[in-house]
mmCIF file of all heavy atoms in Angstrom:
data_model
loop_
_atom_site.group_PDB
_atom_site.id
_atom_site.type_symbol
_atom_site.label_atom_id
_atom_site.label_comp_id
_atom_site.label_asym_id
_atom_site.label_seq_id
_atom_site.Cartn_x
_atom_site.Cartn_y
_atom_site.Cartn_z
ATOM 1 N N ASP A 267 259.835 -30.734 -136.828
ATOM 2 C CA ASP A 267 260.945 -31.521 -137.389
ATOM 3 C C ASP A 267 262.194 -31.226 -136.520
ATOM 4 O O ASP A 267 262.112 -30.528 -135.542
ATOM 5 C CB ASP A 267 261.147 -31.276 -138.840
ATOM 6 C CG ASP A 267 261.401 -29.765 -139.113
ATOM 7 O OD1 ASP A 267 262.012 -29.098 -138.298
ATOM 8 O OD2 ASP A 267 260.998 -29.316 -140.193
ATOM 9 N N SER A 268 263.279 -31.803 -136.933
ATOM 10 C CA SER A 268 264.527 -31.676 -136.134
ATOM 11 C C SER A 268 265.442 -30.578 -136.572
ATOM 12 O O SER A 268 266.485 -30.390 -136.036
ATOM 13 C CB SER A 268 265.303 -33.035 -136.189
ATOM 14 O OG SER A 268 265.578 -33.318 -137.549
ATOM 15 N N THR A 269 264.995 -29.753 -137.596
ATOM 16 C CA THR A 269 265.861 -28.694 -138.074
ATOM 17 C C THR A 269 265.739 -27.504 -137.123
ATOM 18 O O THR A 269 264.612 -27.154 -136.689
ATOM 19 C CB THR A 269 265.484 -28.275 -139.534
ATOM 20 O OG1 THR A 269 264.146 -27.937 -139.522
ATOM 21 C CG2 THR A 269 265.703 -29.481 -140.447
ATOM 22 N N PRO A 270 266.815 -26.782 -136.845
ATOM 23 C CA PRO A 270 266.771 -25.693 -135.911
ATOM 24 C C PRO A 270 266.225 -24.390 -136.456
ATOM 25 O O PRO A 270 265.884 -23.483 -135.688
ATOM 26 C CB PRO A 270 268.244 -25.506 -135.467
ATOM 27 C CG PRO A 270 269.008 -26.015 -136.657
ATOM 28 C CD PRO A 270 268.194 -27.095 -137.271
ATOM 29 N N PHE A 271 266.144 -24.251 -137.792
ATOM 30 C CA PHE A 271 265.849 -22.918 -138.350
ATOM 31 C C PHE A 271 264.447 -22.424 -138.079
ATOM 32 O O PHE A 271 264.164 -21.256 -138.105
ATOM 33 C CB PHE A 271 266.141 -22.884 -139.855
ATOM 34 C CG PHE A 271 265.037 -23.546 -140.699
ATOM 35 C CD1 PHE A 271 264.047 -22.761 -141.210
ATOM 36 C CD2 PHE A 271 265.074 -24.875 -140.922
ATOM 37 C CE1 PHE A 271 262.966 -23.366 -141.988
ATOM 38 C CE2 PHE A 271 264.064 -25.434 -141.701
ATOM 39 C CZ PHE A 271 263.006 -24.728 -142.232
ATOM 40 N N ASP A 272 263.507 -23.379 -137.845
ATOM 41 C CA ASP A 272 262.130 -22.896 -137.595
ATOM 42 C C ASP A 272 261.687 -23.078 -136.179
ATOM 43 O O ASP A 272 260.495 -23.100 -135.868
ATOM 44 C CB ASP A 272 261.181 -23.707 -138.539
ATOM 45 C CG ASP A 272 261.221 -25.197 -138.388
ATOM 46 O OD1 ASP A 272 262.141 -25.610 -137.577
ATOM 47 O OD2 ASP A 272 260.545 -25.876 -139.116
ATOM 48 N N GLU A 273 262.624 -23.169 -135.232
ATOM 49 C CA GLU A 273 262.245 -23.181 -133.801
ATOM 50 C C GLU A 273 261.540 -21.869 -133.436
ATOM 51 O O GLU A 273 261.873 -20.818 -133.927
ATOM 52 C CB GLU A 273 263.541 -23.317 -132.965
ATOM 53 C CG GLU A 273 264.151 -24.708 -132.986
ATOM 54 C CD GLU A 273 263.364 -25.767 -132.240
ATOM 55 O OE1 GLU A 273 262.509 -25.387 -131.470
ATOM 56 O OE2 GLU A 273 263.596 -26.901 -132.524
ATOM 57 N N SER A 274 260.544 -22.017 -132.598
ATOM 58 C CA SER A 274 259.783 -20.901 -132.032
ATOM 59 C C SER A 274 258.836 -20.255 -133.060
ATOM 60 O O SER A 274 258.229 -19.238 -132.716
ATOM 61 C CB SER A 274 260.696 -19.817 -131.423
ATOM 62 O OG SER A 274 261.520 -20.344 -130.449
ATOM 63 N N ARG A 275 258.662 -20.874 -134.227
ATOM 64 C CA ARG A 275 257.776 -20.300 -135.226
ATOM 65 C C ARG A 275 256.363 -20.782 -134.980
ATOM 66 O O ARG A 275 255.418 -20.071 -135.389
ATOM 67 C CB ARG A 275 258.248 -20.710 -136.630
ATOM 68 C CG ARG A 275 259.559 -20.101 -137.032
ATOM 69 C CD ARG A 275 259.923 -20.559 -138.423
ATOM 70 N NE ARG A 275 258.938 -20.146 -139.428
ATOM 71 C CZ ARG A 275 258.834 -20.671 -140.669
ATOM 72 N NH1 ARG A 275 259.654 -21.716 -141.019
ATOM 73 N NH2 ARG A 275 257.908 -20.236 -141.477
ATOM 74 N N TYR A 276 256.171 -21.881 -134.318
ATOM 75 C CA TYR A 276 254.853 -22.467 -134.039
ATOM 76 C C TYR A 276 254.360 -22.062 -132.686
ATOM 77 O O TYR A 276 255.029 -22.320 -131.695
ATOM 78 C CB TYR A 276 254.931 -23.963 -134.196
ATOM 79 C CG TYR A 276 255.344 -24.462 -135.586
ATOM 80 C CD1 TYR A 276 256.680 -24.762 -135.834
ATOM 81 C CD2 TYR A 276 254.433 -24.523 -136.623
ATOM 82 C CE1 TYR A 276 257.089 -25.141 -137.081
ATOM 83 C CE2 TYR A 276 254.840 -24.922 -137.885
ATOM 84 C CZ TYR A 276 256.188 -25.290 -138.107
ATOM 85 O OH TYR A 276 256.590 -25.652 -139.336
ATOM 86 N N THR A 277 253.222 -21.484 -132.615
ATOM 87 C CA THR A 277 252.624 -21.141 -131.329
ATOM 88 C C THR A 277 251.146 -21.511 -131.290
ATOM 89 O O THR A 277 250.499 -21.673 -132.328
ATOM 90 C CB THR A 277 252.746 -19.580 -131.064
ATOM 91 O OG1 THR A 277 252.130 -18.854 -132.146
ATOM 92 C CG2 THR A 277 254.190 -19.152 -130.933
ATOM 93 N N TYR A 278 250.616 -21.583 -130.066
ATOM 94 C CA TYR A 278 249.207 -21.792 -129.840
ATOM 95 C C TYR A 278 248.693 -20.699 -128.956
ATOM 96 O O TYR A 278 249.334 -20.209 -128.034
ATOM 97 C CB TYR A 278 248.967 -23.147 -129.150
ATOM 98 C CG TYR A 278 248.964 -24.331 -130.104
ATOM 99 C CD1 TYR A 278 250.150 -25.021 -130.313
ATOM 100 C CD2 TYR A 278 247.831 -24.717 -130.841
ATOM 101 C CE1 TYR A 278 250.198 -26.110 -131.200
ATOM 102 C CE2 TYR A 278 247.900 -25.752 -131.736
ATOM 103 C CZ TYR A 278 249.064 -26.435 -131.901
ATOM 104 O OH TYR A 278 249.082 -27.494 -132.797
ATOM 105 N N GLU A 279 247.443 -20.344 -129.198
ATOM 106 C CA GLU A 279 246.771 -19.242 -128.490
ATOM 107 C C GLU A 279 245.455 -19.731 -127.971
ATOM 108 O O GLU A 279 244.670 -20.312 -128.730
ATOM 109 C CB GLU A 279 246.625 -18.055 -129.457
ATOM 110 C CG GLU A 279 245.907 -16.842 -128.864
ATOM 111 C CD GLU A 279 245.732 -15.747 -129.895
ATOM 112 O OE1 GLU A 279 244.777 -15.921 -130.753
ATOM 113 O OE2 GLU A 279 246.568 -14.846 -129.982
ATOM 114 N N TYR A 280 245.190 -19.521 -126.677
ATOM 115 C CA TYR A 280 243.887 -19.918 -126.089
ATOM 116 C C TYR A 280 243.291 -18.654 -125.418
ATOM 117 O O TYR A 280 244.008 -17.936 -124.745
ATOM 118 C CB TYR A 280 244.064 -21.009 -125.033
ATOM 119 C CG TYR A 280 244.401 -22.327 -125.601
ATOM 120 C CD1 TYR A 280 245.691 -22.716 -125.887
ATOM 121 C CD2 TYR A 280 243.419 -23.315 -125.800
ATOM 122 C CE1 TYR A 280 246.033 -23.970 -126.359
ATOM 123 C CE2 TYR A 280 243.696 -24.501 -126.348
ATOM 124 C CZ TYR A 280 244.994 -24.897 -126.614
ATOM 125 O OH TYR A 280 245.312 -26.113 -127.148
ATOM 126 N N ILE A 281 241.950 -18.506 -125.589
ATOM 127 C CA ILE A 281 241.232 -17.431 -124.908
ATOM 128 C C ILE A 281 240.021 -18.082 -124.271
ATOM 129 O O ILE A 281 238.957 -18.206 -124.883
ATOM 130 C CB ILE A 281 240.805 -16.317 -125.857
ATOM 131 C CG1 ILE A 281 242.051 -15.730 -126.590
ATOM 132 C CG2 ILE A 281 240.065 -15.221 -125.088
ATOM 133 C CD1 ILE A 281 241.748 -14.689 -127.602
ATOM 134 N N PRO A 282 240.140 -18.560 -123.013
ATOM 135 C CA PRO A 282 238.977 -19.127 -122.313
ATOM 136 C C PRO A 282 238.041 -18.013 -121.799
ATOM 137 O O PRO A 282 238.540 -17.052 -121.142
ATOM 138 C CB PRO A 282 239.615 -19.934 -121.129
ATOM 139 C CG PRO A 282 241.080 -19.869 -121.336
ATOM 140 C CD PRO A 282 241.333 -18.718 -122.213
ATOM 141 N N VAL A 283 236.796 -18.126 -122.024
ATOM 142 C CA VAL A 283 235.757 -17.256 -121.448
ATOM 143 C C VAL A 283 234.771 -18.132 -120.725
ATOM 144 O O VAL A 283 234.049 -18.920 -121.368
ATOM 145 C CB VAL A 283 235.083 -16.423 -122.481
ATOM 146 C CG1 VAL A 283 233.975 -15.545 -121.874
ATOM 147 C CG2 VAL A 283 236.077 -15.598 -123.271
ATOM 148 N N THR A 284 234.729 -18.102 -119.351
ATOM 149 C CA THR A 284 233.879 -19.025 -118.648
ATOM 150 C C THR A 284 232.896 -18.295 -117.696
ATOM 151 O O THR A 284 233.161 -17.199 -117.252
ATOM 152 C CB THR A 284 234.772 -19.925 -117.784
ATOM 153 O OG1 THR A 284 235.557 -19.146 -116.843
ATOM 154 C CG2 THR A 284 235.690 -20.797 -118.649
ATOM 155 N N LEU A 285 231.771 -18.930 -117.438
ATOM 156 C CA LEU A 285 230.792 -18.531 -116.468
ATOM 157 C C LEU A 285 230.691 -19.637 -115.415
ATOM 158 O O LEU A 285 230.273 -20.761 -115.828
ATOM 159 C CB LEU A 285 229.446 -18.145 -117.155
ATOM 160 C CG LEU A 285 228.343 -17.706 -116.200
ATOM 161 C CD1 LEU A 285 228.700 -16.343 -115.553
ATOM 162 C CD2 LEU A 285 227.061 -17.570 -116.963
ATOM 163 N N ALA A 286 230.939 -19.303 -114.196
ATOM 164 C CA ALA A 286 230.938 -20.351 -113.142
ATOM 165 C C ALA A 286 230.051 -19.908 -112.017
ATOM 166 O O ALA A 286 230.037 -18.725 -111.622
ATOM 167 C CB ALA A 286 232.328 -20.673 -112.667
#
Side-chain angles (χ1 to χ4, degrees):
D267 56 34
S268 59
T269 57
F271 78 93
D272 56 359
E273 289 288 343
S274 304
R275 294 179 63 197
Y276 300 95
T277 56
Y278 280 93
E279 178 183 81
Y280 288 86
I281 304 176
V283 179
T284 60
L285 180 65

